[in-house]
Amino acid sequence: MSHKLKKITIHLIEDDISQRDSIESLLVYKDYIVKSYSAAKDFFKNVPFERPAIVIADIQLPDLSGVDLHRILMEKNITCPIIFISGEASIQQSIDAMKQGAIEFLVKPFEIEELTDAVTKAIHIELKEINLNLLIENLSPREREVYKLLLKGHNNQELIDKLHLSLPTVKQYKSEVMRKLNVKSLSKLIELAK
């Protein structure tokens, strides 16, 4: 079915060779496709990359901080999950990373389980987003408008006012959006997009 689409690629950016090798061999052993880089500039040569993908990045790269790397990805509209690893975590860095939407912040030396749990969590989030994006592509432009307004919590009357449609038409659009996104209720629709 859908998660058979493509294997997930893990982009690993770590300048410490021994650290990079040990993380890479662990992930390869777990049957992931891993692309490794020793610096952000090498990684950016590969951007944009195919999704589904996740990024594991050292927070202190020689040429860029992990937080900046994440910001640049977001500016390029690449929203895949990111896990940061750090030798000596400054509290501020981890706060900045999390505020910006990092999935996890691991401080070395971390346990193998911590890393694999973070990777599993990131993959789950990535596949959910990819699936949602595929579903949204099936919506007509009008249905997409309705979807965005529903996410903002607009009720029928607000939809009627904003879209200049009649109530039966609004209801029709709503049920189409929910059918195409395969959700039974509005709360499920909002949960899907979280």
Side-chain angles (χ1 to χ4, degrees):
M1 281 283 296
S2 56
H3 52 262
K4 268 289 182 243
L5 285 175
K6 274 196 210 90
K7 274 191 118 172
I8 270 217
T9 303
I10 300 177
H11 295 272
L12 170 64
I13 313 142
E14 165 65 85
D15 57 315
D16 177 322
I17 296 173
S18 64
Q19 189 77 36
R20 191 172 68 236
D21 286 350
S22 69
I23 294 174
E24 184 175 358
S25 51
L26 168 74
L27 294 171
V28 168
Y29 171 74
K30 295 267 183 195
D31 207 27
Y32 293 118
I33 298 164
V34 184
K35 291 188 175 166
S36 292
Y37 315 89
S38 56
K41 63 177 189 304
D42 303 330
F43 166 66
F44 279 115
K45 286 178 195 155
N46 235 348
V47 172
F49 43 73
E50 278 206 345
R51 309 274 294 267
I54 66 169
V55 173
I56 301 176
D58 194 303
I59 199 92
Q60 271 322 137
L61 293 162
D63 53 345
L64 201 63
S65 82
V67 174
D68 286 337
L69 174 122
H70 193 192
R71 200 193 61 245
I72 295 166
L73 282 179
M74 292 194 303
E75 282 164 5
K76 293 178 185 287
N77 219 359
I78 296 169
T79 54
C80 65
I82 191 158
I83 298 166
F84 284 118
I85 45 184
S86 167
E88 59 310 311
S90 84
I91 300 294
Q92 195 50 53
Q93 272 182 332
S94 53
I95 291 170
D96 291 347
M98 290 317 223
K99 264 198 196 137
Q100 209 166 263
I103 301 296
E104 198 63 78
F105 194 98
L106 303 173
V107 180
K108 301 172 196 166
F110 43 79
E111 299 293 320
I112 287 177
E113 285 77 37
E114 286 180 86
L115 179 65
T116 50
D117 285 353
V119 166
T120 306
K121 180 173 153 192
I123 286 172
H124 177 73
I125 291 166
E126 171 72 340
L127 291 178
K128 191 171 158 187
E129 182 178 336
I130 298 279
N131 272 331
L132 179 59
N133 289 344
L134 288 175
L135 294 173
I136 290 170
E137 279 170 22
N138 293 329
L139 299 180
S140 71
R142 194 48 137 175
E143 287 164 353
R144 230 171 269 199
E145 277 181 78
V146 170
Y147 168 71
K148 286 187 177 133
L149 293 171
L150 289 173
L151 282 190
K152 289 181 180 155
H154 289 319
N155 60 27
N156 285 349
Q157 192 53 55
E158 289 168 312
L159 291 174
I160 291 167
D161 297 343
K162 277 207 173 6
L163 302 170
H164 312 291
L165 300 171
S166 66
L167 180 60
T169 312
V170 160
K171 285 185 162 169
Q172 182 60 43
Y173 274 123
K174 270 171 73 172
S175 65
E176 266 308 283
V177 167
M178 297 196 355
R179 186 185 66 77
K180 285 185 178 175
L181 297 185
N182 202 10
V183 288
K184 297 275 181 279
S185 65
L186 263 176
S187 60
K188 283 276 177 281
L189 178 90
I190 288 161
E191 216 172 276
L192 186 68
K194 274 207 171 104

